[in-house]
Amino acid sequence: MADKVSHPLFARIYPRISAYADAHGSLDHRRELLSGIRGSVVEIGAGTGANFRHYPPEVERVVAVEPEPRLRDHAARAATQATVPLEVLPGRARPSS
């Protein structure tokens, strides 16, 4: 990855923001968004991996991309608890020039 991404303050705060949001309605939203999907999935900007436990069994494989190293570490830990095959990779989504 040519451009290193590092947002240490955001990476420290985001897990708390995400947990608060999940406790106040976001969790139902995640479940709704992920219900009915199947096959192979690419999740761009995986953050802490909060979606991972909500993938239905019809999902054959997830490749999750997260550029921020601290958040990627959270996502890698969450991947160990996923019920579908999941790989967490460094990377960024951006248009090619």
Side-chain angles (χ1 to χ4, degrees):
M1 188 164 48
D3 301 320
K4 183 178 179 181
V5 175
S6 179
H7 300 287
L9 180 59
F10 176 77
R12 287 187 193 115
I13 294 170
Y14 183 73
R16 293 182 190 132
I17 294 169
S18 181
Y20 179 85
D22 281 352
H24 293 86
S26 182
L27 191 57
D28 291 333
H29 185 66
R30 286 182 199 283
R31 289 182 186 128
E32 180 182 344
L33 285 174
L34 297 173
S35 69
I37 64 171
R38 62 183 188 276
S40 296
V41 175
V42 176
E43 182 172 328
I44 298 173
T48 61
N51 287 337
F52 297 170
R53 61 188 166 137
H54 302 291
Y55 282 110
E58 294 80 16
V59 170
E60 297 168 7
R61 174 179 183 230
V62 176
V63 175
V65 180
E66 174 53 53
E68 213 296 322
R70 292 158 193 86
L71 292 177
R72 192 169 52 250
D73 288 344
H74 281 277
R77 285 191 297 275
T80 66
Q81 303 298 313
T83 59
V84 299
L86 207 143
E87 181 179 12
V88 177
L89 300 173
R92 295 175 60 179
R94 60 183 178 164
S96 60
S97 44

